[in-house]
Amino acid sequence: MGSANSKPAVSQNSSKKSKKMSTGQRDSKQVNELCGLSAEIKESASRSPGVGSSNENIEGVFYKFVILHAENDVDEAIRIQNLLQNKFCIKPGIIFAEMPCGKHILENLSDAVNGSAWTIILLTEGFLNGPWCEFQSYTCLANALNKEHKYNTVIPVRPLNNPLPREKTPFILQAINALEEESPAFAKQVERIFQDSTYRQQREIWRRERMKEKPEHL
């Protein structure tokens, strides 16, 4: 009787353990997918001007903007990047898929946000496909709250192609007025937001911070 009663408990514990391992495997797989950004992403990103730059060149540039995007939205991110650079002369800009290889994805996120004047969050239907995009949003907004010079530098953009409906937008981003490409006022809003004076101020702060860090690496 005692032996019979103990079997279900062992089976239940094994089942729980199996579920935990399964969850861990899914989490590990997701992290690996994010860190890799996949060969398809790299191939799409390589079509963007300046993607061929070395890691050293990327890290030595303070960008006007970085576009954070879902894994499957690289082409749309490149299109918005080219729109801002070519039509509105807001350059240089970078998309997240262009960040250096070989670094941890969280380190790349930190470098992207701190190494650019504005952080653009690309609001497409793909934005909701995983937790990574929402994590990016929380990180950017927390950074903007903790650093005075980053205030009002997180810009959600709802593009023409496959835009994320307003009702599906995460609550944390609903408080920020998004740039909507289909809006007649889009061009004026872009010109009003991306001011050279703001860029120059942030670039100077970025340079000073880099100078402070240099002795630590010598």
Side-chain angles (χ1 to χ4, degrees):
M1 290 292 291
S3 176
N5 290 337
S6 65
K7 286 183 180 179
V10 172
S11 177
Q12 186 176 7
N13 289 338
S14 299
S15 177
K16 287 181 180 178
K17 196 172 188 180
S18 175
K19 286 181 181 179
K20 286 182 180 179
M21 289 178 65
S22 177
T23 301
Q25 288 171 351
R26 286 198 302 271
D27 292 344
S28 177
K29 181 180 178 182
Q30 184 177 49
V31 169
N32 288 336
E33 288 175 351
L34 291 172
C35 292
L37 286 177
S38 79
E40 183 180 350
I41 283 185
K42 292 176 183 177
E43 182 180 352
S44 298
S46 66
R47 296 198 296 271
S48 177
V51 171
S53 302
S54 68
N55 291 358
E56 183 179 354
N57 289 338
I58 289 176
E59 293 175 352
V61 175
F62 185 73
Y63 291 88
K64 285 202 171 180
F65 65 86
V66 60
I67 300 177
L68 304 184
H69 54 83
E71 183 178 357
N72 295 326
D73 286 335
V74 175
D75 287 337
E76 187 65 4
I78 291 173
R79 187 184 70 79
I80 295 296
Q81 177 191 29
N82 291 335
L83 175 69
L84 294 175
Q85 291 190 133
N86 300 331
K87 182 176 180 178
F88 297 100
C89 296
I90 304 170
K91 50 183 147 183
I94 190 172
I95 68 172
F96 191 73
E98 294 176 309
M99 294 300 292
C101 301
K103 280 191 171 185
H104 192 282
I105 193 169
L106 296 182
E107 187 178 358
N108 267 341
L109 177 58
S110 176
D111 290 345
V113 172
N114 293 319
S116 58
W118 290 275
T119 302
I120 294 173
I121 298 176
L122 195 62
L123 295 179
T124 66
E125 286 279 6
F127 185 89
L128 299 179
N129 287 344
W132 171 238
C133 289
E134 193 164 357
F135 175 78
Q136 287 177 318
S137 303
Y138 277 96
T139 301
C140 298
L141 292 174
N143 190 60
L145 290 173
N146 291 328
K147 296 184 178 181
E148 186 177 350
H149 66 283
K150 286 292 184 181
Y151 185 69
N152 281 340
T153 61
V154 178
I155 314 295
V157 172
R158 194 170 280 111
L160 282 176
N161 302 322
N162 199 28
L164 181 67
R166 294 182 187 87
E167 60 273 16
K168 289 186 179 180
T169 303
F171 179 77
I172 191 171
L173 292 175
Q174 290 181 11
I176 308 174
N177 290 327
L179 276 175
E180 302 195 10
E181 194 179 357
E182 68 174 1
S183 170
F186 178 75
K188 289 185 178 179
Q189 289 173 336
V190 167
E191 292 173 359
R192 177 177 56 82
I193 290 171
F194 297 94
Q195 296 290 325
D196 278 340
S197 57
T198 302
Y199 170 72
R200 288 193 298 269
Q201 177 197 28
Q202 291 204 50
R203 183 179 59 184
E204 182 58 31
I205 294 173
W206 175 77
R207 283 177 176 171
R208 290 201 301 264
E209 289 177 348
R210 282 172 63 87
M211 290 300 293
K212 290 178 182 177
E213 293 172 357
K214 276 186 178 180
E216 298 177 5
H217 300 293
L218 293 178

